[in-house]
Amino acid sequence: MLLIALLALLGLVVGSFLNVVIHRVPRGESVVSPPSACPSCNTPIRPRDNIPVAGWLLLKGKCRDCQAPISPRYPLVEAATAGLFVVMALRFGFDWVLPAYLYLAAVGLALALIDLDCKRLPDALTLPSYPVAAVLLGAAALADSSSGDVVKALLGGVAMFALYFALCFAYPAGMGFGDVKLAGVLGMYTGWLGWSSWAVGLFLGFFLGGVFGVALIAVKKGGRKTAVPFGPFMLLGALVAILVGPELAQGYADLTGL
């Protein structure tokens, strides 16, 4: 319980920083300076108002100075990050690989929301994720983590990158290269857990994206050529695969008799 409580608090703090990342990275701005300020009156946010979730609640969702509304997405991002950190703690416990998946949870949430906002996955977040994943998963392997295999992680990253690259090359209008670069990262994290998790993550990304696209057409909110951000579905599929990938794969095998 101590681990869960500590990671929940850490998640709230990281979530507060992710709000800055989500807003500034697509604009090419520094995430370090200047300090956060109200976008309406440009008054710097006071430290007591910057407390994750609680600050927004105490201010009743309005700027202290100009009373402009503050989007509820800010506390929701903070709470979601805390929730993801708790889920990863429950999944891995006191395992050396936990920091790797906490990083994925944080950067994945930022990428999903940026893709929904801007329909792109910034290199500033995806490309550094490769060395970060390699270092953290490699450190877990050296520490004798029993949760996965670093060789499968590397092979999984290469394989998923290659598959997405081939799809992008064959039909560039249907997939952006940002998705290809994200695929290699997700392939490493799902591959670490085994090929069943890797396969479930791959399948669910396409399945969830396809279901969403069909739903848009059904409610007449889009057509076959409507651009749909695919990153969130890739990330959601990978999350499910990380949490229950082997169980889903075994259930499918039992259902089909494979």
Side-chain angles (χ1 to χ4, degrees):
M1 291 301 294
L2 178 60
L3 176 65
I4 292 173
L6 289 175
L7 287 182
L9 291 174
L10 177 62
L12 290 173
V13 174
V14 172
S16 181
F17 176 68
L18 290 183
N19 278 317
V20 178
V21 171
I22 293 164
H23 178 76
R24 296 187 183 184
V25 166
R27 296 168 172 79
E29 299 172 354
S30 169
V31 298
V32 178
S33 63
S36 297
C38 172
S40 297
C41 65
N42 208 35
T43 302
I45 297 175
R46 298 166 177 81
R48 67 177 183 274
D49 295 335
N50 218 15
I51 301 173
V53 179
W56 187 88
L57 292 174
L58 291 173
L59 290 171
K60 298 180 180 180
K62 296 180 180 179
C63 173
R64 182 181 295 276
D65 297 281
C66 69
Q67 297 300 302
I70 303 172
S71 172
R73 191 166 91 167
Y74 291 106
L76 288 175
V77 168
E78 293 161 355
T81 308
L84 287 170
F85 276 29
V86 168
V87 166
M88 292 303 177
L90 292 171
R91 170 65 176 84
F92 294 102
F94 285 99
D95 191 288
W96 286 101
V97 82
L98 179 59
Y101 286 90
L102 293 178
Y103 171 81
L104 177 64
V107 76
L109 181 59
L111 283 168
L113 291 174
I114 290 173
D115 202 12
L116 288 171
D117 289 342
C118 309
K119 291 185 175 60
R120 65 187 182 90
L121 297 164
D123 287 348
L125 296 180
T126 52
L127 295 185
S129 295
Y130 281 92
V132 170
V135 169
L136 293 178
L137 293 175
L142 291 174
D144 293 327
S145 170
S146 60
S147 63
D149 187 321
V150 71
V151 175
K152 289 181 180 178
L154 294 174
L155 292 175
V158 171
M160 197 172 289
F161 181 95
L163 178 59
Y164 269 78
F165 182 86
L167 292 172
C168 183
F169 181 80
Y171 186 52
M175 181 175 294
F177 202 68
D179 298 326
V180 178
K181 286 176 276 192
L182 176 60
V185 176
L186 298 182
M188 293 175 70
Y189 280 100
T190 55
W192 167 271
L193 299 171
W195 293 117
S196 59
S197 294
W198 184 91
V200 167
L202 176 67
F203 169 77
L204 282 180
F206 287 105
F207 176 76
L208 294 171
V211 169
F212 182 77
V214 170
L216 281 181
I217 295 173
V219 299
K220 297 182 180 180
K221 295 294 184 179
R224 295 179 63 183
K225 294 184 179 181
T226 300
V228 175
F230 192 46
F233 302 106
M234 296 171 64
L235 288 156
L236 181 58
L239 175 63
V240 174
I242 289 166
L243 298 179
V244 293
E247 292 80 2
L248 287 178
Q250 186 59 51
Y252 177 78
D254 294 341
L255 184 65
T256 59
L258 295 177

